[in-house]
Structure formats: C-alpha cells, structure tokens
Amino acid sequence: MVDTNITSITNTTDGTRGMHGTHVKRVVCVAGARPNYMKIKPVMDALEAKGAEVLLVHTGQHYDPAMNDVFFRDLGLRPPDRFLGVGSGSHAVQTGRVMAAFEPLVTELAPDLVVVVGDVNSTLACALVTAKAGPLLAHVEAGLRSRDWSMPEEVNRLATDRISDYLLAPSHDAAENLRTEGYHDDQIHVVGNVMIDTLFANRERALATDALARHGVTPGAYGLVTLHRPANVDDPEVLAGLLKGLGEVAAHCPLVLPVHPRAAERLNALGVPGGIRLVPPAGYLDFIALQAGARIVLTDSGGVQEETTALGVPCVTLRDNTERPITVDEGTNVLAGRDPQRILAIAVRLLDDPPPPRRPALWDGHAGERIARVLLEGGTAGVRPRPTDLR
C-alpha cells in the first residue's frame, strides 16, 4: 500500500527541523556507480516534471567506459552537471575522496535536498556530507537488508538510512525492516522500485535491438550469468567452485557470461568450463535484451534479481543471502548459495519447471513519480537534529 501520509512540519521545539515539501526547489541527485544510473534517472525525470531544479552530480566511482558512458547513452541520461572524478581506491580512500570533493560542492550549490540512491560508497559519502551540511537528505532504496556484515554495501545501507530524512522504500518488506529498527512512520514511504521504472521505460527499445543475434543466441535457448561480487570473484577457491557448478548447468543449457571488469582477469586465469561463453560487458539495452530472452539467469547481482522478477525470467542467486528477499517471496528468484551441487539442482529444477511470472506491488513503472510527490508535495522531514539547529 502506498504511503499517503502527506504532512508538513516546521521548526519544532525539540531541536529538529522540518520543511514543507513545496519549499524544495533545488535538488542535487547523486550517482557514482553503474547501478545508480538506472535508479536516478526516473527520480530526476519526475522531479523535473514537477518543476524542481535538478542538478546531477557524478562522483566518478565508476569511470570505465564499459561501465559508465554506454549506460548514460542507453538510458538517455544527460551529462552530469558536476563530475568529481574520484576514481578507485580502498573503501576508506574512496569514501574520503568523495566526501572531500562533495563538501565544497554542497556549499556552492546550496541545495534544499540531496537524493542518494542504492548502497555504493558514493551513497554513504554524500549522505554523510549532506547530514552535516544541512540540506534535507532522501535515500532511494531505503530499508534493504542482507544482514551480512561482510558486505560493504550492508554497512553503507544501514548508515545512510540512519542519517536520512526521507526513507524511500521499494517494497513493504523494506519498510518493515525500517519500522523494526525504530524509524518513525513519517520518515518511511513505500514508493515502489525505480529500477523497474527504468526497465519498463526501455524494455521495448531493448527488445528491438539485435543484441541476441550479435551474441549468437536465440530466445529461450541459453542461460545468462553475471558474477562481480568480491565474495565470489576475489577468492580463487570460491570462484572455482562457482565455475564448476555453472559448468554442470551448462551441460543442460548453454550459458553466456558478460565479463565484469572486476572478474575478467580471474576468470581468464582459472579458465571456464565448456558450455560457458565469455562475452564483453553489455550496455544497458543489450543486457535487458539478454535477460528477457534467457531461459534462466544465474547471478550475484541485486539489481538482476529485481529485473528478472519484473521480466518473469527464472533467476538463481549465487549468494548465501539477499537484501531483496521479496524477489524470492513474490518473484521468480531462488537463493542457491555457492555450493556447486545445490546450484545445479536448483537450476535444473527451474529449467524443467519455471516459476509463474509475478512481481511485487508497486513495481509498476511509477516509483519515480511517487518519490517526486513525496519530496515536493509533502511528507515529513527533519526528524533528526541538525547541526545548525543544536543549541
């Protein structure tokens, strides 16, 4: 059920600050890495359609053209207004660079509101700067939880939620996570999934491409694989086990694996079993076409779990946990872990008996519009003390 609590508050006597949604005029939207681009586009479009001045800041966390330029082009995402160019580094170095570069920009641009999306280092870094600088802060994809503290993304999610004014949850289970953790009801807004907005907006364009022909596959006659998470690709023993399981799946259905830059060197060093064909990284439209045409998808990506559910394609998640359990409970996803025999057993079952297509409520292509309505037309904010308000 959509959160329709449209309430405005003003300065209070308890040290918190509020703002009428209609007072928000200038909004900074932050993107840093490939998953952010698909999430920020529908938010920007909806905010601009309602008359807000929207400035796009790209931190430069992803800078490889295969992971960056092609997605801007495919999505029709305008060039960023500011590019911070922070590049790669350890988690601490990268987060620190983003903070150092973003802080003077917030002072210069003086936004009323900053929107961060997802769970990458740029998300947390810009959230921290915003929380200390004074503008309101909105987190898109709030409330997702894997409960796996070995994932840097889990730390980023939890910390970003804690300092955000607007918690924009993609589904009811994410909102329930936030309530369980003690967040105020007037912070939490169930708005739907912005990834699905972008998917539905581009699905027909993707299906009209020649991506399948270029990759030498036909609809329903191949499986698609993605691997990029450090826990899966950085440890040669873990990666070798996954490749063993994938090789056995390939005996039942040939597999195509677009190679993420993070995994390329390690895959080449280990070698891949027969039946698995490595191809270059795919742009957004090509990848959507490959997902839509696949008989099965095997992945460690959170976004792919969502996209396959929206497309009605069976998905095997090669992880021990997921921050998107709704794709299992109300979608086409099955959590397999990393044991080769379990991966094979689940994949064969889904190949023989695919789950019926289904998707969660509000995954309907209108999440961006709901977000803009909350941020510009109402909704409460300022439930935490601001540094400038402390006496």
Side-chain angles (χ1 to χ4, degrees):
M1 182 175 181
V2 182
D3 186 339
T4 56
N5 177 22
I6 304 300
T7 308
S8 297
I9 59 176
T10 54
N11 290 333
T12 62
T13 58
D14 62 357
T16 63
R17 189 187 73 174
M19 174 177 278
H20 293 279
T22 52
H23 290 174
V24 173
K25 299 298 183 183
R26 173 175 285 188
V27 182
V28 165
C29 290
V30 176
R34 185 186 75 164
N36 292 171
Y37 311 150
M38 291 83 84
K39 297 168 187 175
I40 207 66
K41 176 67 160 59
V43 178
M44 292 176 57
D45 289 349
L47 289 170
E48 289 178 331
K50 286 188 172 293
E53 178 189 5
V54 178
L55 301 170
L56 175 60
V57 174
H58 188 334
T59 68
Q61 181 175 331
H62 274 179
Y63 51 88
D64 187 309
M67 304 299 291
N68 186 43
D69 298 353
V70 66
F71 285 85
F72 272 68
R73 183 174 65 248
D74 281 356
L75 295 171
L77 190 59
R78 61 178 168 83
D81 297 287
R82 299 297 178 92
F83 181 74
L84 304 185
V86 299
S88 59
S90 70
H91 289 287
V93 167
Q94 192 174 65
T95 302
R97 284 177 180 164
V98 174
M99 292 181 69
F102 190 62
E103 184 177 50
L105 195 57
V106 171
T107 301
E108 175 192 342
L109 298 177
D112 301 307
L113 172 73
V114 174
V115 179
V116 296
V117 297
D119 52 26
V120 300
N121 288 338
S122 295
T123 304
L124 175 59
C126 293
L128 287 168
V129 168
T130 301
K132 294 183 178 184
L136 295 169
L137 176 64
H139 184 204
V140 176
E141 282 197 339
L144 298 184
R145 299 289 184 266
S146 69
R147 297 181 172 80
D148 179 357
W149 284 94
S150 70
M151 294 177 64
E153 296 91 342
E154 184 75 351
V155 178
N156 292 343
R157 290 179 203 118
L158 283 151
T160 300
D161 283 345
R162 181 53 60 188
I163 56 176
S164 292
D165 298 293
Y166 292 102
L167 298 170
L168 303 165
S171 51
H172 64 81
D173 61 325
E176 187 56 34
N177 288 337
L178 293 167
R179 293 188 186 99
T180 300
E181 292 169 12
Y183 290 94
H184 297 262
D185 281 341
D186 58 6
Q187 286 179 278
I188 303 167
H189 304 269
V190 182
V191 293
N193 191 328
V194 288
M195 288 279 287
I196 308 309
D197 288 23
T198 299
L199 172 62
F200 286 175
N202 292 280
R203 179 172 49 186
E204 296 309 315
R205 290 176 59 220
L207 296 179
T209 68
D210 63 346
L212 271 62
R214 280 186 281 110
H215 287 87
V217 294
T218 56
Y222 66 95
L224 179 66
V225 179
T226 77
L227 288 172
H228 77 283
R229 290 201 173 271
N232 281 346
V233 302
D234 287 358
D235 185 328
E237 185 175 346
V238 171
L239 182 57
L242 287 171
L243 289 174
K244 179 178 185 298
L246 292 171
E248 293 178 354
V249 174
H252 298 264
C253 177
L255 301 178
V256 174
L257 198 169
V259 181
H260 191 286
R262 145 176 288 283
E265 184 176 335
R266 294 171 178 85
L267 287 170
N268 289 330
L270 287 172
V272 298
I276 303 175
R277 184 155 57 90
L278 303 183
V279 299
Y284 180 74
L285 295 178
D286 281 2
F287 190 70
I288 292 301
L290 287 169
Q291 284 189 86
R295 187 177 170 193
I296 191 171
V297 175
L298 302 101
T299 186
D300 58 8
S301 162
V304 172
Q305 295 171 49
E306 297 173 323
E307 289 167 343
T308 49
T309 279
L311 292 167
V313 176
C315 179
V316 180
T317 294
L318 308 174
R319 290 167 48 187
D320 297 321
N321 53 63
T322 177
E323 64 284 352
R324 294 164 171 87
I326 199 165
T327 62
V328 177
D329 298 335
E330 300 182 24
T332 59
N333 183 29
V334 179
L335 198 61
R338 296 181 290 182
D339 176 72
Q341 291 309 307
R342 179 170 168 79
I343 292 169
L344 174 62
I346 291 174
V348 169
R349 173 165 60 84
L350 294 180
L351 289 168
D352 291 342
D353 185 20
R358 56 181 185 160
R359 65 173 184 266
L362 301 185
W363 289 27
D364 56 4
H366 299 287
E369 297 164 27
R370 295 186 192 98
I371 289 170
R373 187 163 64 246
V374 168
L375 298 181
L376 301 183
E377 296 181 5
T380 55
V383 297
R384 61 183 168 80
R386 291 290 187 162
T388 54
D389 296 324
L390 297 178
R391 299 295 191 269

